[in-house]
RNA sequence: GCCAAAGUGGCGGAAUUGGUAGACGCGCACGACUCAAACUCGUGUUCCGCAAGGAGUGUGGGUUCGAUUCCCACCUUUGGUACCA
């Protein structure tokens, strides 16, 4: 009577779980904790497609597995709800982004519920909720009130800095600050006006206002962070981005550069992920060297990582934006230099990148090599960046590719300083070796020469060791509406934090979501929006990454109205034990989160320095588009196998009209009016489509919605199939074609419990050794596979297990109940249903993962593959403890083997116990 | 250019420590059931060959009794990054 009715079963259990508190987590010191986290989604209008749940399913399996292994599991979900698409939509339609966002979240939650995730929804967070962003603003305030002390190597309250300034000025303060921070004495400080004092403090604060060169995207009307710009275009939308000097809030992430870099070692992340962050931070060890300007009382400081090549310096190059460009240009060169600077600074980042040609201009001035005393020309070129190092490069054309190209182009001197490069067409091919033509450094190895050069420069007061970073402080302002307001107001042009008691500072209502006619951000439109009714608020909002930089902490204590997170709870849950999400967040979210978490660690909010102990990047699920081919001459559609005979045009068709690559002709004709009269050239009476693996996108008609899969196969099938598709971390195309196999598997599971008439049929008989063996083999495999997140192989393990049990017609309760428990993290609905049908009153969620027992797998004999010279020739079964001599005797006497020996001498006889036997002749 | 990861049947993929390459699933072929189709079940399915046998994990070489696995060189694909001195 009972068929596998997944629709009814899944609805029922999903409701039952939602009505209970079965997935809510409470701190419980008696149990080990496990924190499994998904990167929370941005709720877009398009809903989830089949690629999104991949990681969620994996983390859900681990969560459920850990739960039945006695762990206290925290497995929450929420929404990264501030963002551009909702705002763009608001600009077009006038609809408040909060409304669209709310609708989209509703839709997402329903889609997620359909898949049967074990989320603790009581801890849901939404970044756009004032109850949440109150604390995002609070963290901003803590950053504003802190500076980074290098001696303590941590963030410290700004009040302590003020006390030191009052007593001794800043000469002994070893802190991270702006390059241009003035040296002040206690006397200076105490004589300063309040605005002057605040200005000094801004040079130290971990979040600070600054005039900064930013990535301005005119199309979007906002600035973007470095990680939001790709090849001169915005990552979202693909609009052109230009450089612009603007007043911005900045985050002093560079203060943490070293710790962010060094801690990478301790993290269980993929090497490529660590590599990406390492490159992004880009620490380079080197030194600064001073070059005196010839005949003037001026010096230029260059940063170099290769002071060993100092004797190979044949010119020095300034960035076009360098402040001394005008001073150092001679009268004769003035016109040429001005024209070049004009040209270089007006070009956008994008143009500069597209431009591969070498460009530059001579200043007319000369500088002096501090080591050799040689006079060398000073140039200006845009391959030198104002923002990196000092904006001055000592050019060594014999060791550096760019310097080499530049010297070649302008016919400048090239001097080789490394042995073996003298006769090379391109001396930069050899980067390190024994120094030559280098006076005091001659004969030294590059690395030793580097040390000696730095030492010499330091002793003679024209150089110091220095570490530079590629990473910049992060721009924190967005000229947009749909983000967290910055909790700052202005009094006489000076920014002040609002009172903590006035948090949250809520987004005001405005008439339109566009910038004002004066180009002010949308918040400038707000009427009567003033602090204490008097002072203007900051009108930029926080960027998308603000709310996502600490949401993993809020989950630990999501409903606390008094604190961002109770340190006691944060200490209990600690770092995330498994974080699953996309690789696209390598240099954005994952870096900013580490930064904020580290800061909160410094100020004592949490007791773990790193937020994500283990990180796994799920691969992208690509679309598998279906293609039909229209004959150019007759307008007939030609089946894929026959297109060689015609000249055809390819056309994407909706994948919902295609099954197993065969096109449903009726649906196709009904798809669009112009196709109603379509004719076809068929193969074997069917139309076979071609396919293409590409991005999943509406435009390519290849989007597959999980709701549709759940409707036709059920959530358990979807979960298993997504896992079965291949390794979690690998990108792969979604191909619905294979899903029947997984569905069949679940039906076989169902059939194990039922007789041919569909009646429940379980036996209480003692299982046979063979049945135990099948079960315990699968228990071990499942546990091992989950530990290494190899879910595709555990699914095939289940299939093997069920195939073998079916062959034995096994319906032993003892075996099948254990099977249900190990299957339950993967296919929770069917497992729960069969568990209850078999007479259990308690949920399978409260069951315990069966203990693996080795004794069922012990074999008394093994069928050895016998190889002769590495080629498989026979198989013979021996007892496990058979002596090597006996094995040898029997193998050599075997007629199958004898044939291959042909009486030749046996050189070697190798027996690898329980593996293989190899005879070498 | 540089850095990282990966190349295995018609397809997705397996082989966890150097030990039977192609598990499991899809697809395909044949068969059973059926009036018929679908479902389901069974058999087969890396390639060449009737077979015996041979070849085979991107290419070429090496180490080893034995290599998808280790080493060297190269090719291709994907991702990251790009004047970072």
């Amino acid at each position: 009577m009972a068929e596998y009715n997944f629709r009814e079963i899944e609805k029922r259990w999903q409701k039952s779980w939602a009505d209970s508190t079965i997935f809510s987590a409470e701190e419980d010191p008696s149990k080990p904790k496990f924190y499994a986290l998904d990167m929370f989604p941005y709720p877009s209008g398009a809903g989830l497609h089949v690629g999104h749940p991949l990681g969620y399913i994996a983390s859900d399996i681990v969560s459920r597995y850990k739960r039945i292994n006695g762990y206290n599991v925290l497995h929450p979900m929420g929404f990264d709800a501030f963002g551009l698409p909702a705002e763009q939509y608001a600009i077009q339609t006038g609809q408040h982004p909060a409304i669209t966002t709310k609708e989209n979240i509703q839709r997402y939650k329903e889609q997620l519920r359909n898949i049967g995730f074990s989320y603790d929804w009581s801890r849901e967070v939404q970044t756009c909720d004032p109850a949440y962003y109150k604390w995002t603003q609070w963290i901003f305030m803590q950053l504003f009130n802190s500076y980074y002390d290098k001696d303590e190597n941590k963030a410290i309250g700004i009040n302590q800095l003020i006390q030191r300034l009052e007593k001794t000025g800043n000469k002994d303060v070893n802190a991270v600050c702006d390059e241009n921070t003035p040296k002040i004495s206690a006397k200076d400080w105490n004589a300063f006006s309040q605005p002057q004092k605040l200005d000094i403090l801004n040079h130290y604060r971990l979040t600070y206002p600054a005039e900064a060169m930013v990535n301005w995207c005119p199309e979007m009307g906002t600035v973007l962070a470095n990680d939001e710009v790709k090849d001169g275009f915005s990552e979202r939308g693909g609009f052109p981005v230009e450089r612009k000097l603007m007043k911005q809030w900045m985050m002093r992430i560079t203060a943490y550069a070293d710790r962010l870099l060094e801690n990478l070692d301790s993290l269980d992340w993929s090497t490529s992920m660590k590599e990406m962050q390492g490159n992004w931070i880009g620490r380079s060890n080197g030194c600064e060297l001073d070059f005196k300007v010839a005949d003037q009382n001026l010096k230029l400081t260059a940063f170099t990582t290769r002071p060993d090549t100092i004797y190979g310096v044949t010119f020095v190059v300034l960035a076009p934006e360098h402040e001394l460009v005008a001073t150092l240009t001679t009268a004769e060169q003035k016109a040429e230099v001005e024209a070049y600077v004009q040209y270089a600074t007006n070009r956008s980042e994008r143009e500069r990148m597209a431009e591969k040609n070498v460009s530059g201009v001579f200043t007319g001035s000369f500088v002096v090599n501090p080591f050799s005393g040689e006079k060398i020309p000073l140039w200006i070129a845009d391959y030198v960046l104002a923002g990196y190092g000092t904006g001055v490069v000592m050019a060594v054309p014999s060791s550096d590719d760019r310097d080499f190209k530049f010297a070649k182009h302008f016919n400048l001197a090239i001097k080789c300083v490394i042995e073996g490069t003298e006769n090379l067409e391109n001396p930069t091919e050899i980067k390190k070796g024994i120094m030559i033509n280098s006076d005091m450094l001659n004969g030294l190895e590059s690395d030793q020469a580097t040390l000696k050069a730095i030492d010499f420069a330091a002793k003679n007061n024209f150089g110091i060791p220095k570490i530079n970073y590629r990473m910049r402080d992060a721009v924190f302002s967005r000229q947009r509406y749909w983000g967290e307001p910055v909790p700052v107001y202005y009094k006489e042009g000076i920014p002040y934090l609002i009172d903590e008691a006035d948090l949250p500072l809520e987004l005001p209502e405005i008439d339109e979501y566009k910038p004002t006619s004066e180009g002010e951000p949308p918040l400038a439109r707000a009427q009567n929006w003033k602090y204490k009714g008097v002072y203007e608020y900051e009108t930029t909002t926080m960027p998308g990454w603000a709310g996502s930089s600490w949401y993993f902490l809020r989950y630990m204590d999501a409903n606390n109205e008094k604190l961002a997170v109770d340190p006691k709870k944060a200490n209990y849950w600690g770092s995330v034990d498994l974080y699953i999400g996309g690789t696209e967040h390598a240099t954005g979210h994952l870096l900013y989160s580490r930064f904020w978490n580290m800061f909160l660690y410094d100020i004592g909010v949490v007791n773990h320095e790193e937020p994500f102990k283990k990180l796994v990047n799920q691969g992208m699920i690509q679309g598998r588009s279906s293609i039909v081919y229209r004959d150019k001459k007759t307008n007939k559609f030609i089946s894929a196998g026959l297109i060689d005979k015609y000249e055809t045009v390819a056309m994407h068709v909706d994948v919902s009209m295609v099954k197993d690559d065969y096109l449903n002709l009726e649906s196709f004709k009904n798809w669009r009016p112009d196709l109603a009269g379509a004719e076809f050239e068929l193969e074997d009476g069917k139309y076979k489509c071609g396919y293409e693996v590409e991005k999943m996108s509406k435009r390519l008609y290849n989007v597959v919605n999980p709701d549709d899969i759940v409707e036709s196969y059920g959530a358990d099938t979807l979960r298993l199939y997504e896992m079965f598709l291949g390794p979690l971390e690998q990108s792969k195309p979604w191909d619905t074609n294979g899903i029947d196999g997984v569905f069949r598997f679940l039906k076989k599971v169902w059939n194990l419990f039922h007789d041919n008439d569909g009646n429940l049929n379980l036996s209480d008989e003692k299982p046979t050794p063979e049945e135990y063996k099948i079960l315990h083999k699968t228990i071990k495999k499942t546990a091992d596979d989950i530990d290494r997140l190899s879910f595709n192989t555990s699914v095939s393990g289940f299939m093997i297990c069920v195939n073998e049990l079916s062959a034995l017609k096994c319906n032993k309760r003892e075996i099948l109940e254990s099977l249900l428990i190990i299957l339950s993290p993967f296919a929770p609905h069917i497992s729960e249903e069969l568990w209850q049908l078999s007479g259990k009153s308690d949920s399978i969620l409260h069951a315990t993962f069966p203990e693996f027992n080795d004794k069922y797998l012990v074999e008394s004999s093994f069928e050895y593959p016998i190889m002769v010279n590495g080629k498989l020739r026979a198989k013979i079964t021996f007892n496990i403890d058979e002596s090597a001599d006996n094995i040898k005797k029997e193998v050599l006497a075997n007629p199958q083997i004898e044939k291959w020996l042909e009486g030749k001498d046996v050189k070697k006889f190798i027996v690898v116990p329980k593996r293989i036997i190899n005879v070498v002749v």
Side-chain angles (χ1 to χ4, degrees):
Chain A
M1 107 221 142
E3 291 251 306
Y4 171 38
N5 184 347
F6 56 85
R7 289 198 188 87
E8 189 266 327
I9 292 169
E10 292 182 353
K11 280 265 138 32
R12 187 148 42 76
W13 287 114
Q14 283 164 13
K15 181 163 189 320
S16 158
W17 294 330
D19 291 345
S20 74
T21 54
I22 206 155
F23 298 129
S24 4
E26 285 305 323
E27 297 72 42
D28 177 355
S30 71
K31 280 189 187 172
K33 68 95 187 180
F34 192 87
Y35 187 178
L37 182 65
D38 296 307
M39 285 188 189
F40 65 165
Y42 172 79
S44 82
L48 291 173
H49 69 62
V50 108
H52 295 112
L54 183 72
Y56 305 160
I57 294 169
S59 65
D60 198 59
I61 289 170
V62 175
S63 298
R64 287 171 178 270
Y65 172 74
K66 288 290 178 183
R67 216 172 264 130
I68 55 177
N69 273 285
Y71 285 82
N72 191 20
V73 174
L74 176 58
H75 187 42
M77 182 46 98
F79 299 94
D80 188 12
F82 276 130
L84 286 180
E87 182 162 359
Q88 294 292 37
Y89 189 73
I91 290 170
Q92 285 160 23
T93 62
Q95 166 130 249
H96 196 288
I99 297 171
T100 0
T101 304
K102 198 176 160 197
E103 284 169 3
N104 292 347
I105 289 178
Q106 252 348 88
R107 168 110 193 273
Y108 266 62
K109 284 174 84 165
E110 203 178 308
Q111 287 186 298
L112 291 172
R113 188 165 25 247
N114 281 342
I115 305 175
F117 292 120
S118 62
Y119 293 127
D120 177 357
W121 283 110
S122 72
R123 294 169 182 266
E124 176 187 356
V125 302
Q126 299 180 3
T127 53
C128 66
D129 180 356
Y132 177 82
Y133 71 65
K134 169 180 180 178
W135 299 107
T136 311
Q137 292 170 334
W138 179 83
I139 294 170
F140 176 92
M141 292 167 73
Q142 309 313 305
L143 285 157
F144 185 83
N145 283 328
S146 303
Y147 77 106
Y148 199 92
D149 189 290
K150 286 201 232 179
D151 292 332
E152 303 250 350
N153 203 21
K154 62 186 269 201
I156 288 184
I158 199 89
N159 286 334
Q160 297 195 37
L161 177 65
I162 296 173
Q163 284 173 20
R164 292 180 66 180
L165 293 173
E166 281 167 357
K167 280 185 201 131
T168 52
N170 66 3
K171 75 174 191 305
D172 297 327
V173 173
N174 184 16
V176 178
C177 60
D178 296 336
E179 289 276 329
N180 61 358
T181 306
K183 294 252 183 296
I184 56 167
S185 65
K187 209 174 138 198
D188 294 335
W189 173 264
N190 292 319
F192 279 162
S193 67
Q194 184 67 3
Q196 280 174 307
K197 284 182 179 173
L198 292 175
D199 186 57
I200 293 290
L201 292 179
N202 283 344
H203 287 93
Y204 289 91
R205 297 182 192 276
L206 290 181
T207 182
Y208 59 99
E211 284 275 320
M213 200 51 110
V214 295
N215 306 300
W216 172 254
C217 179
E219 210 97 8
M220 292 164 86
T222 191
V223 305
L224 298 169
N226 286 342
D227 63 273
E228 291 169 318
V229 182
K230 273 195 81 177
D231 300 329
F233 289 88
S234 65
E235 200 175 26
R236 282 209 173 170
F239 304 117
V241 172
E242 51 191 55
R243 308 281 293 161
K244 196 174 169 184
L245 199 66
M246 283 178 82
K247 184 134 188 177
Q248 303 291 328
W249 283 93
M250 307 286 291
M251 282 283 161
R252 208 179 293 280
I253 187 172
T254 50
Y256 284 87
D258 259 322
R259 279 163 75 189
L260 288 171
L261 189 65
E262 267 152 30
N263 280 5
L264 280 176
D265 278 345
S266 69
L267 298 176
D268 186 0
W269 293 16
S270 70
T271 47
S272 63
M273 209 61 176
K274 293 190 198 180
E275 193 81 20
M276 270 189 241
Q277 286 214 344
N279 289 341
W280 188 262
I281 295 167
R283 173 160 76 179
S284 47
N285 250 312
C287 71
E288 285 185 350
L289 292 176
D290 294 337
F291 287 74
K292 274 210 176 77
V293 180
D295 314 317
Q296 286 200 58
N297 191 19
L298 275 174
K299 64 175 186 187
L300 290 171
T301 304
F303 173 72
T304 180
T305 55
R306 295 295 306 276
D308 55 319
T309 62
I310 182 72
Y311 288 94
V313 178
T314 52
F315 55 98
V316 167
V317 194
L318 286 182
E321 297 91 344
H322 196 278
E323 51 191 13
L324 291 178
V325 165
T327 322
L328 294 175
T329 303
T330 59
E332 306 88 82
Q333 294 297 106
K334 192 166 185 251
E336 209 183 324
V337 166
E338 276 177 359
Y340 182 72
V341 169
Q342 179 80 8
Y343 157 81
T345 48
N346 276 352
R347 282 197 306 171
S348 68
E349 194 82 333
R350 198 156 42 85
E351 283 169 321
R352 275 209 203 182
M353 267 189 263
E355 178 80 71
K356 292 278 178 234
N357 291 337
V358 179
S359 75
V361 63
F362 178 48
T363 59
S365 294
F366 289 82
V367 296
V368 178
N369 183 325
F371 279 67
S372 66
E374 213 179 333
K375 249 173 89 171
I376 49 177
L378 178 66
W379 283 68
I380 296 169
D382 69 355
Y383 81 86
V384 178
L385 306 176
Y388 183 77
T390 57
V392 181
V393 167
M394 58 171 238
V396 186
S398 58
S399 290
D400 183 280
D401 301 314
R402 291 149 309 173
D403 298 344
F404 179 71
K405 270 192 209 144
F406 194 82
K408 276 273 173 204
H409 187 263
F410 289 106
N411 228 349
L412 297 165
I414 297 172
K415 190 174 154 198
C416 291
V417 287
I418 291 167
E419 201 173 76
T421 59
E422 312 94 297
N423 301 320
L424 291 177
E425 176 99 353
N426 178 354
T428 66
E429 274 168 24
I430 301 174
K431 303 269 191 227
K432 284 194 172 180
I434 308 283
M435 308 310 299
I436 53 168
N437 298 327
S438 294
D439 195 16
M440 59 184 280
L441 302 178
N442 278 337
L444 291 174
E445 191 66 47
S446 292
D447 291 345
Q448 299 165 319
T450 300
L451 295 176
K452 185 166 179 187
I454 294 176
D455 196 45
F456 181 78
K459 280 198 180 118
N460 291 283
N461 276 326
F462 57 78
I464 46 162
K466 169 101 187 189
I467 294 168
N468 256 319
Y469 298 92
R470 181 182 169 277
M471 183 171 69
R472 293 291 119 80
D473 280 346
V475 178
F476 198 66
S477 294
R478 294 294 181 274
Q479 290 68 24
R480 305 287 297 200
Y481 175 73
W482 193 229
E484 300 87 347
V486 177
V488 160
Y489 67 93
Y490 289 87
K491 193 157 101 185
E492 286 151 23
I494 311 248
Y496 294 89
L497 291 181
I498 67 171
D499 211 61
E500 215 173 290
D502 294 319
L503 290 177
L505 172 60
E506 292 199 33
L507 266 178
E509 292 302 322
I510 56 176
D511 56 345
E512 265 194 297
Y513 303 97
K514 291 180 198 156
T516 66
S517 50
E518 290 84 43
E520 289 284 296
L523 284 189
R525 292 175 174 274
Q527 301 289 314
N528 305 319
W529 190 54
K530 291 202 160 76
Y531 188 55
K532 302 206 190 286
V534 181
Y535 305 110
E536 297 290 341
Y537 280 118
E538 168 67 43
T539 54
T540 63
T541 52
M542 298 189 195
W545 54 268
S548 60
S549 292
W550 74 285
Y551 76 108
F552 44 90
L553 297 174
R554 185 64 181 172
Y555 281 140
M556 297 169 177
D557 195 9
N559 301 304
N560 195 331
E561 291 173 13
K562 303 255 157 46
L563 295 168
V565 53
D566 183 341
K568 279 204 279 304
K569 295 189 176 183
N571 294 353
Y572 175 77
W573 293 111
S575 296
V576 173
D577 296 284
L578 175 64
Y579 193 24
I580 298 187
T583 170
E584 67 273 19
H585 298 107
T587 49
H589 163 63
L590 288 167
L591 201 56
Y592 297 131
S593 297
R594 292 182 60 216
F595 160 42
W596 278 32
N597 190 89
M598 222 172 253
F599 168 71
L600 294 171
Y601 168 80
D602 284 353
I603 65 169
V605 174
V606 300
N607 75 344
H608 53 282
E609 196 173 1
E610 286 292 336
F612 315 122
K613 211 184 300 170
K614 184 177 172 70
L615 172 76
V616 173
N617 302 111
Q618 92 264 25
M620 236 199 352
I621 297 227
Q622 295 144 309
R624 189 177 184 280
S625 313
S626 285
I627 317 276
V628 294
Y629 307 91
R630 200 184 64 224
D631 180 28
K632 273 186 177 166
K633 291 194 190 99
T634 60
N635 276 338
K636 241 188 190 179
F637 289 91
I638 313 296
S639 187
L642 307 170
I643 54 172
D644 292 347
K645 299 180 195 130
Y646 300 85
E647 219 183 297
T648 58
V649 189
M651 180 181 124
H652 280 77
V653 291
D654 201 303
V655 288
S656 64
M657 304 187 298
V658 179
K659 178 138 168 55
D660 295 339
D661 284 341
Y662 290 110
L663 181 67
N664 181 325
L665 301 182
E666 281 314 303
S667 322
F668 181 68
K669 286 185 190 173
N670 292 329
W671 191 31
R672 289 196 322 233
D674 60 304
L675 300 171
E679 288 179 59
F680 304 94
E681 178 89 24
L682 305 175
E683 289 173 83
D684 307 326
K686 291 177 185 167
Y687 188 97
K688 195 168 175 66
C689 299
Y691 71 89
E692 196 86 48
V693 172
E694 43 203 353
K695 219 180 109 183
M696 207 175 260
S697 139
K698 259 187 187 168
R699 197 166 51 81
L700 301 167
Y701 303 111
N702 60 6
V703 176
V704 181
N705 186 321
D707 300 346
D708 295 341
I709 304 288
V710 168
E711 175 56 29
S712 19
Y713 294 96
D716 284 337
T717 299
L718 174 72
R719 292 169 63 107
L720 283 172
Y721 188 56
E722 292 231 5
M723 292 300 102
F724 189 59
L725 230 37
L728 180 61
E729 306 197 33
Q730 224 168 75
S731 285
K732 54 233 158 189
W734 176 268
D735 182 357
T736 309
N737 289 345
I739 201 167
D740 291 307
V742 169
F743 185 61
R744 254 172 238 150
F745 158 74
L746 286 178
K747 276 197 282 193
K748 283 185 201 166
V749 173
W750 184 265
N751 290 338
L752 279 177
F753 286 76
H754 294 86
D755 62 20
N756 290 339
D757 302 321
N759 298 311
L760 189 77
N761 180 20
L762 289 179
S763 151
D764 287 314
E765 254 177 83
K766 183 96 182 136
T768 64
E770 194 170 10
E771 290 166 337
Y772 274 124
K773 186 180 159 191
I774 294 167
L775 173 68
H776 281 263
K777 194 174 67 179
T778 313
I779 292 172
K780 182 167 170 42
K781 180 160 181 58
T782 307
D784 289 353
D785 285 351
I786 293 178
D787 280 343
R788 58 192 184 103
L789 306 178
S790 173
F791 304 107
N792 54 329
T793 52
S794 31
V795 176
S796 66
F798 287 129
M799 288 174 167
I800 294 167
C801 171
V802 167
N803 287 346
E804 288 176 352
L805 290 177
S806 300
L808 295 174
K809 300 215 178 338
C810 170
N811 68 342
K812 310 278 170 65
R813 182 183 288 276
E814 196 184 331
I815 299 291
L816 296 188
E817 283 177 358
S818 293
L819 172 63
L820 285 182
I821 298 172
I822 60 176
L823 180 63
S824 66
F826 293 80
H829 309 86
I830 192 176
S831 309
E832 182 80 88
E833 177 72 10
L834 289 171
W835 182 256
Q836 307 265 339
L837 281 179
S838 79
K840 303 284 188 206
S841 52
D842 198 6
S843 168
I844 196 166
L845 294 160
H846 294 135
T848 303
F849 194 83
E851 202 172 324
F852 165 67
N853 193 334
D854 210 11
K855 79 177 182 200
Y856 297 113
L857 301 195
V858 175
E859 300 270 357
S860 59
S861 62
F862 181 79
E863 187 187 35
Y864 281 92
I866 317 287
M867 307 185 112
V868 179
N869 285 341
K871 288 211 159 58
L872 181 68
R873 297 304 180 187
K875 288 185 180 185
I876 308 175
T877 302
F878 291 105
N879 279 334
I880 290 299
D881 44 12
E882 189 70 65
S883 77
D885 279 352
N886 285 345
I887 290 176
K888 185 171 179 179
K889 232 178 272 168
E890 202 172 320
V891 166
L892 296 181
N894 185 289
Q896 294 241 41
I897 297 300
E898 259 185 326
K899 188 171 95 186
W900 291 99
L901 299 179
E902 291 170 346
K904 286 181 213 152
D905 281 353
V906 174
K907 278 204 196 126
K908 245 183 189 180
F909 192 88
I910 295 153
V911 179
V912 185
K914 289 207 275 185
R915 291 272 187 214
I916 206 164
I917 293 168
N918 196 6
V919 189
V920 186
V921 296

